[in-house]
mmCIF file of all heavy atoms in Angstrom:
data_model
loop_
_atom_site.group_PDB
_atom_site.id
_atom_site.type_symbol
_atom_site.label_atom_id
_atom_site.label_comp_id
_atom_site.label_asym_id
_atom_site.label_seq_id
_atom_site.Cartn_x
_atom_site.Cartn_y
_atom_site.Cartn_z
ATOM 1 N N ARG A 79 11.594 -67.360 -38.310
ATOM 2 C CA ARG A 79 10.641 -67.537 -37.190
ATOM 3 C C ARG A 79 10.934 -66.592 -36.061
ATOM 4 O O ARG A 79 10.286 -66.679 -35.032
ATOM 5 C CB ARG A 79 10.788 -68.952 -36.686
ATOM 6 C CG ARG A 79 10.288 -69.955 -37.701
ATOM 7 C CD ARG A 79 10.384 -71.300 -37.136
ATOM 8 N NE ARG A 79 9.394 -72.152 -37.777
ATOM 9 C CZ ARG A 79 8.872 -73.167 -37.138
ATOM 10 N NH1 ARG A 79 9.173 -73.378 -35.886
ATOM 11 N NH2 ARG A 79 8.053 -73.946 -37.784
ATOM 12 N N PRO A 82 7.574 -64.162 -35.313
ATOM 13 C CA PRO A 82 6.496 -64.720 -36.126
ATOM 14 C C PRO A 82 5.321 -63.814 -36.258
ATOM 15 O O PRO A 82 4.708 -63.724 -37.330
ATOM 16 C CB PRO A 82 6.146 -66.012 -35.380
ATOM 17 C CG PRO A 82 6.762 -65.916 -34.055
ATOM 18 C CD PRO A 82 7.907 -65.003 -34.123
ATOM 19 N N GLY A 162 3.769 -21.396 -65.827
ATOM 20 C CA GLY A 162 2.817 -22.414 -66.294
ATOM 21 C C GLY A 162 2.683 -23.536 -65.288
ATOM 22 O O GLY A 162 1.585 -24.057 -65.042
ATOM 23 N N SER A 165 0.594 -22.413 -62.396
ATOM 24 C CA SER A 165 -0.822 -22.394 -62.805
ATOM 25 C C SER A 165 -1.395 -23.812 -62.750
ATOM 26 O O SER A 165 -2.516 -24.031 -62.268
ATOM 27 C CB SER A 165 -0.912 -21.828 -64.199
ATOM 28 O OG SER A 165 -2.120 -22.160 -64.808
ATOM 29 N N THR A 245 7.866 -23.900 -73.604
ATOM 30 C CA THR A 245 7.963 -24.351 -72.218
ATOM 31 C C THR A 245 8.068 -23.183 -71.238
ATOM 32 O O THR A 245 7.914 -23.372 -70.024
ATOM 33 C CB THR A 245 9.205 -25.262 -72.000
ATOM 34 O OG1 THR A 245 10.329 -24.608 -72.562
ATOM 35 C CG2 THR A 245 9.011 -26.599 -72.609
ATOM 36 N N VAL A 282 19.481 -19.023 -82.884
ATOM 37 C CA VAL A 282 19.429 -19.468 -81.464
ATOM 38 C C VAL A 282 20.073 -20.870 -81.389
ATOM 39 O O VAL A 282 19.556 -21.849 -81.931
ATOM 40 C CB VAL A 282 17.973 -19.562 -80.991
ATOM 41 C CG1 VAL A 282 17.918 -20.106 -79.554
ATOM 42 C CG2 VAL A 282 17.319 -18.173 -81.045
ATOM 43 N N LEU A 285 17.888 -23.822 -76.953
ATOM 44 C CA LEU A 285 16.588 -23.376 -76.442
ATOM 45 C C LEU A 285 16.457 -23.935 -75.028
ATOM 46 O O LEU A 285 16.082 -25.102 -74.851
ATOM 47 C CB LEU A 285 15.446 -23.933 -77.309
ATOM 48 C CG LEU A 285 15.114 -23.189 -78.569
ATOM 49 C CD1 LEU A 285 14.021 -23.951 -79.313
ATOM 50 C CD2 LEU A 285 14.609 -21.778 -78.267
ATOM 51 N N ARG A 299 28.005 -19.976 -69.040
ATOM 52 C CA ARG A 299 28.687 -20.782 -70.041
ATOM 53 C C ARG A 299 29.248 -19.955 -71.181
ATOM 54 O O ARG A 299 29.885 -20.464 -72.077
ATOM 55 C CB ARG A 299 27.710 -21.819 -70.600
ATOM 56 C CG ARG A 299 27.362 -22.717 -69.468
ATOM 57 C CD ARG A 299 26.692 -23.937 -69.765
ATOM 58 N NE ARG A 299 26.235 -24.353 -68.433
ATOM 59 C CZ ARG A 299 24.992 -24.600 -68.118
ATOM 60 N NH1 ARG A 299 24.057 -24.526 -69.022
ATOM 61 N NH2 ARG A 299 24.682 -24.884 -66.895
ATOM 62 N N GLY A 300 28.928 -18.653 -71.151
ATOM 63 C CA GLY A 300 29.492 -17.780 -72.183
ATOM 64 C C GLY A 300 29.050 -18.094 -73.588
ATOM 65 O O GLY A 300 29.766 -17.882 -74.517
ATOM 66 N N ILE A 301 27.870 -18.616 -73.728
ATOM 67 C CA ILE A 301 27.372 -18.963 -75.055
ATOM 68 C C ILE A 301 26.456 -17.837 -75.556
ATOM 69 O O ILE A 301 25.615 -17.322 -74.819
ATOM 70 C CB ILE A 301 26.656 -20.304 -75.043
ATOM 71 C CG1 ILE A 301 27.685 -21.385 -74.762
ATOM 72 C CG2 ILE A 301 25.922 -20.576 -76.360
ATOM 73 C CD1 ILE A 301 27.141 -22.765 -74.647
ATOM 74 N N PHE A 414 1.708 -20.269 -80.470
ATOM 75 C CA PHE A 414 2.370 -21.241 -79.634
ATOM 76 C C PHE A 414 1.680 -22.591 -79.539
ATOM 77 O O PHE A 414 2.270 -23.547 -79.069
ATOM 78 C CB PHE A 414 2.597 -20.719 -78.238
ATOM 79 C CG PHE A 414 3.258 -19.374 -78.215
ATOM 80 C CD1 PHE A 414 2.693 -18.285 -77.607
ATOM 81 C CD2 PHE A 414 4.517 -19.252 -78.794
ATOM 82 C CE1 PHE A 414 3.301 -17.050 -77.620
ATOM 83 C CE2 PHE A 414 5.181 -18.014 -78.803
ATOM 84 C CZ PHE A 414 4.556 -16.928 -78.205
ATOM 85 N N ASP A 416 0.118 -26.212 -80.715
ATOM 86 C CA ASP A 416 0.709 -27.162 -81.669
ATOM 87 C C ASP A 416 0.297 -26.898 -83.092
ATOM 88 O O ASP A 416 -0.877 -26.686 -83.366
ATOM 89 C CB ASP A 416 0.300 -28.577 -81.269
ATOM 90 C CG ASP A 416 1.122 -29.013 -80.052
ATOM 91 O OD1 ASP A 416 2.171 -28.408 -79.805
ATOM 92 O OD2 ASP A 416 0.698 -29.957 -79.349
ATOM 93 N N ASP A 421 5.867 -23.629 -84.174
ATOM 94 C CA ASP A 421 6.145 -24.966 -84.668
ATOM 95 C C ASP A 421 6.580 -24.949 -86.117
ATOM 96 O O ASP A 421 7.483 -25.697 -86.526
ATOM 97 C CB ASP A 421 4.904 -25.859 -84.570
ATOM 98 C CG ASP A 421 4.763 -26.414 -83.164
ATOM 99 O OD1 ASP A 421 5.631 -26.139 -82.331
ATOM 100 O OD2 ASP A 421 3.773 -27.111 -82.897
ATOM 101 N N TYR A 424 10.250 -24.502 -86.804
ATOM 102 C CA TYR A 424 11.152 -25.651 -86.688
ATOM 103 C C TYR A 424 10.693 -26.851 -87.536
ATOM 104 O O TYR A 424 11.418 -27.807 -87.614
ATOM 105 C CB TYR A 424 11.223 -26.071 -85.206
ATOM 106 C CG TYR A 424 12.161 -25.179 -84.454
ATOM 107 C CD1 TYR A 424 11.702 -24.104 -83.719
ATOM 108 C CD2 TYR A 424 13.556 -25.360 -84.562
ATOM 109 C CE1 TYR A 424 12.572 -23.268 -83.070
ATOM 110 C CE2 TYR A 424 14.411 -24.537 -83.911
ATOM 111 C CZ TYR A 424 13.920 -23.479 -83.164
ATOM 112 O OH TYR A 424 14.795 -22.659 -82.523
ATOM 113 N N LYS A 428 6.358 -29.786 -92.611
ATOM 114 C CA LYS A 428 5.088 -30.436 -92.319
ATOM 115 C C LYS A 428 3.953 -29.840 -93.176
ATOM 116 O O LYS A 428 3.873 -28.659 -93.327
ATOM 117 C CB LYS A 428 4.782 -30.235 -90.839
ATOM 118 C CG LYS A 428 4.006 -31.441 -90.292
ATOM 119 C CD LYS A 428 3.491 -31.114 -88.889
ATOM 120 C CE LYS A 428 2.344 -32.056 -88.610
ATOM 121 N NZ LYS A 428 1.514 -31.517 -87.539
ATOM 122 N N ARG B 137 1.450 -74.491 -43.745
ATOM 123 C CA ARG B 137 1.143 -73.576 -42.651
ATOM 124 C C ARG B 137 1.276 -72.119 -43.142
ATOM 125 O O ARG B 137 0.821 -71.202 -42.506
ATOM 126 C CB ARG B 137 2.068 -73.770 -41.493
ATOM 127 C CG ARG B 137 1.674 -74.943 -40.602
ATOM 128 C CD ARG B 137 2.624 -75.048 -39.448
ATOM 129 N NE ARG B 137 2.682 -73.801 -38.702
ATOM 130 C CZ ARG B 137 3.779 -73.358 -38.109
ATOM 131 N NH1 ARG B 137 4.887 -74.029 -38.252
ATOM 132 N NH2 ARG B 137 3.742 -72.257 -37.408
ATOM 133 N N PRO B 141 4.157 -65.584 -41.618
ATOM 134 C CA PRO B 141 3.045 -65.458 -40.691
ATOM 135 C C PRO B 141 2.149 -64.309 -41.102
ATOM 136 O O PRO B 141 2.662 -63.255 -41.485
ATOM 137 C CB PRO B 141 3.722 -65.199 -39.345
ATOM 138 C CG PRO B 141 5.134 -64.909 -39.623
ATOM 139 C CD PRO B 141 5.457 -65.336 -41.003
ATOM 140 N N ASP B 183 3.062 -37.284 -84.601
ATOM 141 C CA ASP B 183 3.558 -35.947 -84.990
ATOM 142 C C ASP B 183 5.070 -36.057 -85.212
ATOM 143 O O ASP B 183 5.748 -36.719 -84.420
ATOM 144 C CB ASP B 183 3.214 -34.946 -83.905
ATOM 145 C CG ASP B 183 3.679 -33.565 -84.275
ATOM 146 O OD1 ASP B 183 3.034 -32.980 -85.163
ATOM 147 O OD2 ASP B 183 4.635 -33.066 -83.691
ATOM 148 N N ARG B 185 7.500 -34.175 -84.738
ATOM 149 C CA ARG B 185 8.366 -33.767 -83.615
ATOM 150 C C ARG B 185 8.370 -34.815 -82.520
ATOM 151 O O ARG B 185 9.439 -35.077 -81.912
ATOM 152 C CB ARG B 185 7.811 -32.446 -83.080
ATOM 153 C CG ARG B 185 8.851 -31.533 -82.613
ATOM 154 C CD ARG B 185 8.247 -30.206 -82.362
ATOM 155 N NE ARG B 185 8.748 -29.703 -81.112
ATOM 156 C CZ ARG B 185 8.157 -28.720 -80.407
ATOM 157 N NH1 ARG B 185 7.035 -28.219 -80.829
ATOM 158 N NH2 ARG B 185 8.695 -28.342 -79.305
ATOM 159 N N ASN B 252 32.712 -23.632 -73.949
ATOM 160 C CA ASN B 252 33.724 -22.936 -73.179
ATOM 161 C C ASN B 252 34.096 -23.668 -71.935
ATOM 162 O O ASN B 252 34.843 -23.164 -71.108
ATOM 163 C CB ASN B 252 33.155 -21.542 -72.790
ATOM 164 C CG ASN B 252 32.675 -20.798 -74.006
ATOM 165 O OD1 ASN B 252 33.411 -20.679 -74.968
ATOM 166 N ND2 ASN B 252 31.457 -20.293 -73.953
ATOM 167 N N TYR B 268 24.633 -29.614 -75.981
ATOM 168 C CA TYR B 268 23.585 -29.150 -76.914
ATOM 169 C C TYR B 268 23.573 -30.020 -78.188
ATOM 170 O O TYR B 268 23.153 -29.565 -79.250
ATOM 171 C CB TYR B 268 23.760 -27.671 -77.257
ATOM 172 C CG TYR B 268 24.047 -26.881 -76.017
ATOM 173 C CD1 TYR B 268 25.196 -26.094 -75.911
ATOM 174 C CD2 TYR B 268 23.185 -26.946 -74.919
ATOM 175 C CE1 TYR B 268 25.439 -25.390 -74.740
ATOM 176 C CE2 TYR B 268 23.459 -26.257 -73.775
ATOM 177 C CZ TYR B 268 24.579 -25.473 -73.685
ATOM 178 O OH TYR B 268 24.865 -24.794 -72.517
ATOM 179 N N GLY B 350 20.143 -28.859 -75.128
ATOM 180 C CA GLY B 350 19.898 -27.771 -76.093
ATOM 181 C C GLY B 350 18.443 -27.665 -76.487
ATOM 182 O O GLY B 350 18.014 -26.634 -76.924
ATOM 183 N N ASN B 351 17.708 -28.756 -76.316
ATOM 184 C CA ASN B 351 16.225 -28.738 -76.494
ATOM 185 C C ASN B 351 15.805 -28.238 -77.860
ATOM 186 O O ASN B 351 14.769 -27.578 -77.985
ATOM 187 C CB ASN B 351 15.532 -27.904 -75.440
ATOM 188 C CG ASN B 351 15.938 -28.315 -74.043
ATOM 189 O OD1 ASN B 351 16.068 -29.484 -73.744
ATOM 190 N ND2 ASN B 351 16.199 -27.337 -73.210
ATOM 191 N N MET B 352 16.583 -28.469 -78.914
ATOM 192 C CA MET B 352 16.177 -28.002 -80.242
ATOM 193 C C MET B 352 15.161 -28.932 -80.843
ATOM 194 O O MET B 352 15.443 -30.131 -80.966
ATOM 195 C CB MET B 352 17.416 -27.869 -81.130
ATOM 196 C CG MET B 352 18.480 -26.937 -80.602
ATOM 197 S SD MET B 352 17.855 -25.281 -80.296
ATOM 198 C CE MET B 352 17.970 -24.564 -81.940
ATOM 199 N N LEU B 354 13.215 -31.189 -83.239
ATOM 200 C CA LEU B 354 13.626 -32.087 -84.314
ATOM 201 C C LEU B 354 15.114 -32.459 -84.258
ATOM 202 O O LEU B 354 15.643 -33.078 -85.153
ATOM 203 C CB LEU B 354 13.352 -31.475 -85.707
ATOM 204 C CG LEU B 354 11.872 -31.202 -85.965
ATOM 205 C CD1 LEU B 354 11.701 -30.585 -87.343
ATOM 206 C CD2 LEU B 354 11.091 -32.511 -85.925
ATOM 207 N N THR B 365 6.390 -29.740 -72.435
ATOM 208 C CA THR B 365 5.930 -28.736 -73.380
ATOM 209 C C THR B 365 4.393 -28.751 -73.481
ATOM 210 O O THR B 365 3.734 -27.730 -73.469
ATOM 211 C CB THR B 365 6.543 -28.980 -74.773
ATOM 212 O OG1 THR B 365 7.960 -29.023 -74.604
ATOM 213 C CG2 THR B 365 6.170 -27.927 -75.750
ATOM 214 N N LYS B 366 3.874 -29.948 -73.605
ATOM 215 C CA LYS B 366 2.429 -30.091 -73.733
ATOM 216 C C LYS B 366 1.773 -29.587 -72.480
ATOM 217 O O LYS B 366 0.731 -28.912 -72.516
ATOM 218 C CB LYS B 366 2.055 -31.571 -73.951
ATOM 219 C CG LYS B 366 2.624 -32.156 -75.186
ATOM 220 C CD LYS B 366 1.593 -32.161 -76.297
ATOM 221 C CE LYS B 366 2.169 -32.717 -77.540
ATOM 222 N NZ LYS B 366 1.628 -32.137 -78.769
ATOM 223 N N LEU B 367 2.334 -29.936 -71.324
ATOM 224 C CA LEU B 367 1.724 -29.495 -70.052
ATOM 225 C C LEU B 367 1.747 -27.996 -69.944
ATOM 226 O O LEU B 367 0.803 -27.378 -69.443
ATOM 227 C CB LEU B 367 2.459 -30.108 -68.877
ATOM 228 C CG LEU B 367 2.171 -31.603 -68.629
ATOM 229 C CD1 LEU B 367 3.047 -32.092 -67.482
ATOM 230 C CD2 LEU B 367 0.729 -31.813 -68.298
ATOM 231 N N GLU B 368 2.821 -27.409 -70.413
ATOM 232 C CA GLU B 368 2.954 -25.941 -70.330
ATOM 233 C C GLU B 368 1.899 -25.271 -71.157
ATOM 234 O O GLU B 368 1.557 -24.113 -70.926
ATOM 235 C CB GLU B 368 4.354 -25.584 -70.801
ATOM 236 C CG GLU B 368 4.936 -24.370 -70.129
ATOM 237 C CD GLU B 368 5.229 -24.567 -68.650
ATOM 238 O OE1 GLU B 368 5.373 -25.718 -68.163
ATOM 239 O OE2 GLU B 368 5.247 -23.561 -67.950
ATOM 240 N N GLN B 369 1.354 -25.953 -72.126
ATOM 241 C CA GLN B 369 0.261 -25.396 -72.949
ATOM 242 C C GLN B 369 -1.105 -25.889 -72.402
ATOM 243 O O GLN B 369 -2.094 -25.800 -73.127
ATOM 244 C CB GLN B 369 0.400 -25.809 -74.387
ATOM 245 C CG GLN B 369 1.691 -25.418 -75.010
ATOM 246 C CD GLN B 369 1.867 -26.130 -76.350
ATOM 247 O OE1 GLN B 369 1.140 -25.850 -77.287
ATOM 248 N NE2 GLN B 369 2.800 -27.041 -76.447
ATOM 249 N N PHE B 370 -1.077 -26.475 -71.253
ATOM 250 C CA PHE B 370 -2.289 -27.018 -70.624
ATOM 251 C C PHE B 370 -2.958 -28.094 -71.499
ATOM 252 O O PHE B 370 -4.144 -28.319 -71.440
ATOM 253 C CB PHE B 370 -3.316 -25.889 -70.328
ATOM 254 C CG PHE B 370 -2.716 -24.833 -69.462
ATOM 255 C CD1 PHE B 370 -2.227 -23.658 -69.969
ATOM 256 C CD2 PHE B 370 -2.594 -25.063 -68.082
ATOM 257 C CE1 PHE B 370 -1.652 -22.716 -69.175
ATOM 258 C CE2 PHE B 370 -2.025 -24.106 -67.261
ATOM 259 C CZ PHE B 370 -1.542 -22.923 -67.809
#
Side-chain angles (χ1 to χ4, degrees):
Chain A
R79 292 183 155 209
S165 161
T245 49
V282 177
L285 277 176
R299 296 192 193 123
I301 291 177
F414 308 121
D416 284 340
D421 277 358
Y424 281 98
K428 212 190 159 200
Chain B
R137 279 182 57 213
D183 182 70
R185 215 169 135 199
N252 307 310
Y268 317 123
N351 308 318
M352 301 303 277
L354 298 179
T365 305
K366 298 262 180 211
L367 285 177
E368 212 65 24
Q369 303 168 68
F370 303 99

